[in-house]
Amino acid sequence: KAGVTQTPRYLIKTRGQQVTLSCSPISGHRSVSWYQQTPGQGLQFLFEYFSETQRNKGNFPGRFSGRQFSNSRSEMNVSTLELGDSALYLCASSPRNPTDTQYFGPGTRLTVL
Amino acid sequence: AQSVTQLDSHVSVSEGTPVLLRCNYSSSYSPSLFWYVQHPNKGLQLLLKYTSAATLVKGINGFEAEFKKSETSFHLTKPSAHMSDAAEYFCVVSEYGSSNTGKLIFGQGTTLQVKP
């Protein structure tokens, strides 16, 4: 089976812009979780989707949003980018429950200038 | 709420010597615990997972971890370090919510340096 894929792998944006990141889970996996990784805060949970519904959300401002499509692919969007949004954004999938083993993609490195 | 504490931010060993990465957890119920590894500019790879079937869990690449409930610990070990083991290691606990919600809680990570 192909692993979790994320596109793009690298992004450079300027403050105030918005960005959309994409994640394709492992075939058959229906739960998709997103995490932000920064040197200062480590790995923090953003949100989790299952069957096109957001089941759980972390403590991030409303500028961070996401969605899931019927084929389980997921996107996350960050609007009005701030310098502090520079991070590695990781997507992970699991068959059904986010508390089961999650399989991670390579991440999207976002740099905000 | 569940939490994870990795007791060392940086561990340095010589190639061929044992590796010990320490992790303590806090959980109000019997947790699922994981160790993930992250090589530079890569995503996270699962090393091993504990789900109460056995207290000693064997993972990939010769790693293993022992769940000790009395000490709330889940330390990762390897008998002999290899240069390719140099990476960042994360101890992770699952947090269960209602109606199949939940998430993974990550420790702050331990950087393993392997010297030749």
Side-chain angles (χ1 to χ4, degrees), chain A residues 59, chain B residues 1-5 24-29 31 93-97 103-105:
Chain A
N59 295 323
Chain B
Q2 278 58 250
S3 66
V4 170
T5 302
N24 286 349
Y25 70 91
S26 170
S27 177
S28 54
Y29 45 75
V93 66
S94 57
E95 179 179 278
Y96 295 86
K103 60 185 178 184
L104 299 183
I105 308 295

Side-chain angles (χ1 to χ4, degrees), chain B residues 11 13-22 35 37 39 45 47-48 56-66 74-87 89 112 114:
Chain B
V11 169
V13 302
S14 297
E15 189 175 21
T17 65
V19 175
L20 170 64
L21 305 183
R22 300 182 294 163
W35 276 98
V37 61
H39 291 275
Q45 180 184 21
L47 278 178
L48 49 82
L56 184 63
V57 184
K58 294 189 183 299
I60 62 171
N61 300 334
F63 285 95
E64 62 182 38
E66 186 171 9
F74 190 56
H75 301 335
L76 182 71
T77 60
K78 182 174 181 178
S80 176
H82 192 272
M83 295 297 292
S84 61
D85 294 328
Y89 292 79
L112 176 64
V114 182

